[in-house]
Amino acid sequence: MTDVSTRFQTGFPKIGIRPTIDGRRKGVRESLEEQTMNMAIATAKLLSEHLRYPNGEPVECVIADSCIGGVAEAAACADKFAKSGVGVSITVTPCWCYGTETMDMDPSIPKAVWGFNGTERPGAVYLAAVLSGYAQKGLPAFGIYGEHVQDAGDTSIPFDVKDKLLGFAKAALAVAYMRGKSYLSMGSVSMGIAGSIVNDAFFQEYLGMRTEYIDMTEFVRRMDENIYDTAEFEKALAWVKENCIEGPDNNPADIQTTREHKDKDWATVIKMTQIARDLMVGNPQLAELGFGEEALGHNAIVSGFQGQRQWTDHFPNGDFMEAILNSSFDWNGIRAPYIVATENDSLNGAVMLFGYLLTNTAQIFADVRTYWSPESVERVTGHKLTGAAQHGLLHLINSGPATLDGTGEQSINGQPAMKPFWDITEEEAQKCLDATSWRPASVEYFRGGGYSSDYLTRGGMPMTMSRINLVKGIGPVLQIAEGYSVDLPADVHDTLDKRTDSTWPTTWFAPTLTGEGAFHSVYEVMDNWGANHGSISYGHIGGDLITLASMLRIPVNMHNVPEKRVFRPRAWGLFGTANSESADYRACQNFGPIYK
């Protein structure tokens, strides 16, 4: 089996803090050294206390050896950062500095500048000057400037500055962590779904990732030749028998499989889960079994499994494999979720990865299946929708691969939630398992059998649905919808659920409406959604997604994030502000993918 140290063996990017200073000595620089370095120290402390890597460890910051007053010290800082594995750059200063002499010139590293809002020295003047230089040189940078004036001796970081520092750093770390990793395509195109046509140019130029490919026959080879940890398999099988509740078989009696066949399916889907994980991240146990090449894995932080139909017409489906890997726990205990896209929808896999890296929580993969208007719900069930659902609902449901964290059986302050694995208790993991029924797959869909996870997401959770689409001539575009999961009366849910496949997991989602554009109504959200799939994250993370997208030069074509939470590089304002979406498109097109 794998452990955290093996899975994350390539390490994590660090945040580099660059204290810049007025280079004039004999009085000016000397008077500012302590204040400037203290800003860097305070920034590093803030980030390390509030942000964690995917393995749960605090984010690590590296501070330049000295304040940077000119190009020689800037070069020395750049050298230290390169040797230290820095992937994110934050410049801080309370004073005027020489802009193009002190700026960070690495085009592949996301960068921000915090100019102290104080009257004694013109930190804001440097901020404006250096951001102008970044725009002129085609190196977009984020500007951070507190709303209220601080005294020169004030070492605190105002709340608005904290929010921007943390928002920038979260997104920038995601950019840095993706670089050099892989998307693993397990199989090829599923049922003609465009997102499963894996676009290597997108992953390479926008995310800095490579694409790896294996044929699904690799699963057969590894099962036939016992290229998996057999001791772990026995452990997993016992765990499944104890913790995975098998639900009733909804198939017509004449095509239901035997008990012997069902037990064989359980064994197969467990092995598939082990093999998919080993393909992604490797497994040193395989080397001990004599399979050194297979032990290495593909360095994949996200993958997709084709499944339908070439696999599922003959073998058990991938639903159990995908659901368990996407969850924050399995037979080895509580651990970080793996990101696996159903039907090899690489574009949904990419946005699932975004959500995961921004939150360190599991992501729900779902079809954006049906818009239920208030009138339709009342006609079919007699129930009048109220509260968050009063304007209608989206039925998010797919063939059973959604993370079990999506049950909402974890809690924060007594409310349903999805949490980073290090905050999940054994009791909460068990509640997620107990709330899930594993239903024998619909044989008419999945001729090879298998199991689908069936659960109902608890209502009241803030959630963000997102999706990347590729558009000919433009490239990738991102769409975002914040909203809430919703509880329906049991009989109402049952009536609506049975109109589709009731063996699959359901999330009832009510997007937040703004009264404008695609968010004029819930119907408009559904009507403007760009594909059949979406990724759903716990929390309202739309602002963080917008920040991340701007770093990657991916424009956002629809969102309902309040303007005060939108944070993009300062240069975006130079492309027009009357229509932020239009400015976003122009800026992204102008600067282009960061790795092209």
Side-chain angles (χ1 to χ4, degrees), residues 18 72 75 95 148 172 180 193 201 213 216 223 239 253 338 370 420 532:
R18 307 174 70 255
C95 61
H148 302 293
I193 294 173
Y213 308 86
M216 289 184 293
M223 285 189 283
W239 180 86
Y338 297 85
T370 308
N532 53 312

Side-chain angles (χ1 to χ4, degrees), residues 86-366:
V86 166
V88 178
S89 168
I90 300 178
T91 298
V92 300
T93 188
C95 61
W96 168 254
C97 316
Y98 305 149
T100 57
E101 296 181 23
T102 60
M103 68 195 305
D104 173 8
M105 293 288 288
D106 189 329
S108 66
I109 292 182
K111 46 187 62 56
V113 183
W114 171 25
F116 186 79
N117 185 1
T119 57
E120 289 81 3
R121 297 284 182 176
V125 177
Y126 169 72
L127 177 64
V130 77
L131 290 176
S132 172
Y134 277 125
Q136 188 169 322
K137 292 177 179 294
L139 303 171
F142 289 76
I144 300 173
Y145 181 59
E147 182 178 356
H148 302 293
V149 172
Q150 292 180 260
D151 297 332
D154 187 351
T155 59
S156 67
I157 303 178
F159 287 114
D160 58 337
V161 172
K162 284 182 181 179
D163 286 344
K164 288 186 175 180
L165 284 170
L166 292 170
F168 165 81
K170 277 191 291 186
L173 284 168
V175 172
Y177 186 57
M178 287 188 286
R179 188 163 55 242
K181 304 299 192 303
S182 303
Y183 176 91
L184 176 61
S185 176
M186 298 183 289
S188 184
V189 179
S190 174
M191 301 182 294
I193 294 173
S196 60
I197 304 172
V198 181
N199 188 303
D200 65 319
F202 162 66
F203 281 95
Q204 175 185 329
E205 296 174 6
Y206 285 88
L207 309 185
M209 294 172 58
R210 69 174 71 219
T211 44
E212 293 279 290
Y213 308 86
I214 61 106
D215 190 274
M216 289 184 293
T217 55
E218 179 65 6
F219 282 81
V220 180
R221 183 181 79 92
R222 294 197 182 202
M223 285 189 283
D224 288 351
E225 299 182 23
N226 293 326
I227 308 176
Y228 58 91
D229 186 337
T230 55
E232 184 188 7
F233 167 75
E234 294 299 333
K235 175 183 179 181
L237 183 61
W239 180 86
V240 165
K241 288 180 178 179
E242 182 178 351
N243 295 284
C244 296
I245 304 164
E246 186 176 316
D249 192 335
N250 281 21
N251 289 289
D254 60 327
I255 60 173
Q256 290 184 10
T257 57
T258 64
R259 182 67 258 166
E260 180 182 12
H261 191 284
K262 287 182 169 68
D263 290 341
K264 184 179 177 182
D265 280 358
W266 272 120
T268 299
V269 298
I270 291 169
K271 293 173 186 176
M272 289 168 62
T273 306
Q274 292 179 261
I275 290 167
R277 180 204 60 200
D278 293 350
L279 282 164
M280 289 181 69
V281 302
N283 186 346
Q285 185 65 30
L286 299 184
E288 297 182 20
L289 299 173
F291 301 103
E293 180 183 0
E294 291 84 350
L296 298 175
H298 289 265
N299 193 35
I301 54 173
V302 57
S303 68
F305 182 68
Q306 175 190 340
Q308 299 185 69
R309 282 185 43 208
Q310 287 83 345
W311 180 269
T312 57
D313 278 4
H314 185 64
F315 292 102
N317 63 22
D319 288 3
F320 176 83
M321 171 188 75
E322 293 156 1
I324 289 297
L325 288 176
N326 278 315
S327 298
S328 299
F329 43 83
D330 60 17
W331 45 83
N332 291 320
I334 297 171
R335 45 85 178 141
Y338 297 85
I339 304 300
V340 185
T342 302
E343 294 157 359
N344 199 26
D345 186 345
S346 61
L347 297 179
N348 216 55
V351 82
M352 289 171 72
L353 178 62
F354 291 178
Y356 167 58
L357 293 177
L358 290 170
T359 65
N360 289 318
T361 60
Q363 306 294 298
I364 298 173
F365 183 110

Side-chain angles (χ1 to χ4, degrees), residues 111 131-132 134-136 138-143 206 545-556 559 566-594:
K111 46 187 62 56
L131 290 176
S132 172
Y134 277 125
Q136 188 169 322
L139 303 171
F142 289 76
Y206 285 88
L545 282 167
I546 289 172
T547 297
L548 174 58
S550 67
M551 292 178 182
L552 300 171
R553 320 290 195 260
I554 298 174
V556 178
H559 73 82
V566 175
F567 188 36
R568 291 183 169 117
R570 183 67 63 85
W572 262 235
L574 303 175
F575 290 85
T577 57
N579 185 330
S580 60
E581 288 180 3
S582 295
D584 187 26
Y585 271 77
R586 290 194 294 274
C588 289
Q589 182 179 34
N590 179 74
F591 293 115
I594 57 176

